[in-house]
Amino acid sequence: MFQNQKVSYSGVQPSGNLTIGNYLGALRNFSTYSDDYKCLYCVVDQHAITVRQVPADLRRRTYETLALYMACGLDPEKTTLYVQSHVHEHTELAWILNCFTMFGELSRMTQFKDKSAKHADNINAGLFTYPVLMASDILLYQTDVVPVGIDQKQHVELCRDIATRFNSLYPDTFTIPEPIVSKSGMKIMSLAEPTKKMSKSDENPNAVVYILDDKDTIIRKFKRAVTDSDTEVRFAPGKDGINNLMSIYACFTGKTMEEIEAEFAGKGYGDFKLAVGEVCADALAPVQQRFVQLMADKGALEAQMKKGAEEASYIARRTVSKVEKKLGFVQLR
Ligand code: AQP
């Protein structure tokens, strides 16, 4: 579709303030593909309403997420950046794909199980069919690769199954996408409960480091991070808290676990936690500066949303027409 160029596609929900989990697991890796792939990255606001949102917060975070994409190095001249609800083909294709997705497949999704336990008073159908909308996001653009954190890998695998099923009935409709999970940053854990994923919707702000936290806050949060009663900085089974901090340090410095162990040999957890806070804050500082500049011009962000939606719609329309034709829907000219 793009003169033989491969396509990279991903998205982030504006469902909370973005965390270093989102940054290391997803955002930071998006620009890796900018030179060789046609890249489309979306602010997936329709996914966010599977959980109740305060409208003003959702609106503000939609601008912020777009600004963070750019602040993290995505160039809107080279990359299509847009908001999901501005391209109606996402929900159009999602309905069709719903008819090619099995109830049993959706019931096995671990995110559905986790989120229904967390939001027991609002287990809505959208929460259940979320992976179908995600499959539609990806398949609309004939995507080759989907850079995601490991928590989303299961959804991309389901997307592959749906596309393969559709292609077996209606050949050559969709490109089958590959999930790309970067080894470092694949799953950053909560600082308060290190067996649990760090999530932007966590109610405990001390469990989470936000991309926009200031340096003092970042250092304070790392200092308070839950660790074990050992004192040696060592990557080992059962040391979930320290393992997580070592992974974060490795992501920001590019060092191996052995190098980190050697660097902190003979030093205690206190020194190590301070060092993790410092490298994290230093890495995020330029992103934060750029973010402030971008947020100061809402008009420019809206112009970007419009441009991105036009680019995305053009491609999405072609895929939906192809799908509808194959299904036997009457096409009016
Ligand atoms: N802790 C994490 N470690 C590594 N990657 C992560 N991602 C999320 N958390 C971590 C990756 O960030 C991308 C965007 O995620 P999302 O907004 O689509 O939703 P999510 O996976 O449900 O992320 P959150 O932060 O946990 O959001 P809430 O709290 O709203 O559910 C994805 O590529 C994801 O893998």
Side-chain angles (χ1 to χ4, degrees), residues 22-64:
N22 301 127
Y23 178 70
L24 297 172
L27 272 175
R28 188 174 79 154
N29 308 319
F30 290 174
S31 53
T32 318
Y33 300 91
S34 295
D35 290 334
D36 303 321
Y37 286 66
K38 167 68 197 162
C39 296
L40 299 105
Y41 298 118
C42 182
V43 180
V44 289
D45 55 347
Q46 289 170 323
H47 283 284
I49 63 160
T50 51
V51 169
R52 293 281 171 262
Q53 302 292 335
V54 175
D57 291 347
L58 180 64
R59 201 169 296 120
R60 173 178 53 78
R61 290 195 201 112
T62 301
Y63 285 92
E64 288 177 354

Side-chain angles (χ1 to χ4, degrees), residues 10-27 30 44 47-48 51 53 69 111 115 118-119 130 134 146-153 155 184-190 196-202:
S10 199
V12 175
Q13 298 181 71
S15 48
N17 297 325
L18 266 54
T19 73
I20 58 165
N22 301 127
Y23 178 70
L24 297 172
L27 272 175
F30 290 174
V44 289
H47 283 284
V51 169
Q53 302 292 335
Y69 277 167
Q111 191 180 74
K115 289 210 168 168
K118 204 165 151 195
H119 304 279
Y130 176 114
M134 181 164 158
V146 189
V148 280
I150 197 137
D151 62 313
Q152 291 293 343
K153 190 164 177 250
H155 288 162
S184 66
M186 61 201 296
K187 194 170 186 183
I188 304 300
M189 311 306 273
S190 152
K196 217 179 87 181
K197 187 184 79 145
M198 184 182 283
S199 269
K200 60 175 116 63
S201 58
D202 198 314

Side-chain angles (χ1 to χ4, degrees), residues 60-242:
R60 173 178 53 78
R61 290 195 201 112
T62 301
Y63 285 92
E64 288 177 354
T65 307
L66 185 79
L68 273 175
Y69 277 167
M70 293 193 256
C72 288
L74 292 175
D75 175 355
E77 293 308 316
K78 289 203 310 211
T79 309
T80 299
L81 304 174
Y82 71 103
V83 177
Q84 188 182 31
S85 62
H86 295 165
V87 180
H88 60 79
E89 284 81 2
H90 287 252
T91 45
E92 241 175 292
L93 182 62
W95 169 254
I96 294 170
L97 297 182
N98 264 314
C99 303
F100 293 84
T101 309
M102 300 301 132
F103 186 88
E105 288 175 317
L106 293 174
S107 313
R108 285 194 289 277
M109 294 295 110
T110 52
Q111 191 180 74
F112 172 67
K113 291 183 202 162
D114 293 348
K115 289 210 168 168
S116 10
K118 204 165 151 195
H119 304 279
D121 56 339
N122 181 24
I123 307 176
N124 60 72
L127 200 59
F128 188 63
T129 58
Y130 176 114
V132 184
L133 180 58
M134 181 164 158
S136 136
D137 302 338
I138 296 167
L139 299 178
L140 270 178
Y141 302 98
Q142 305 295 353
T143 300
D144 295 279
V145 296
V146 189
V148 280
I150 197 137
D151 62 313
Q152 291 293 343
K153 190 164 177 250
Q154 192 187 33
H155 288 162
V156 183
E157 277 161 0
L158 175 60
C159 169
R160 287 168 59 86
D161 292 344
I162 298 169
T164 305
R165 182 173 300 135
F166 197 96
N167 282 354
S168 70
L169 292 164
Y170 308 99
D172 301 324
T173 307
F174 296 121
T175 302
I176 308 294
E178 279 289 337
I180 305 284
V181 180
S182 83
K183 208 160 168 284
S184 66
M186 61 201 296
K187 194 170 186 183
I188 304 300
M189 311 306 273
S190 152
L191 298 189
E193 287 174 77
T195 50
K196 217 179 87 181
K197 187 184 79 145
M198 184 182 283
S199 269
K200 60 175 116 63
S201 58
D202 198 314
E203 276 159 19
N204 174 5
N206 291 319
V208 177
V209 176
Y210 299 107
I211 300 178
L212 299 175
D213 274 344
D214 61 43
K215 186 164 187 168
D216 288 348
T217 307
I218 294 176
I219 289 177
R220 179 177 51 76
K221 286 182 176 178
F222 278 114
K223 276 190 181 160
R224 291 179 54 161
V226 169
T227 43
D228 49 73
S229 55
D230 193 4
T231 51
E232 208 183 331
V233 177
R234 192 167 46 89
F235 196 88
K239 287 166 68 79
D240 300 313
I242 261 317

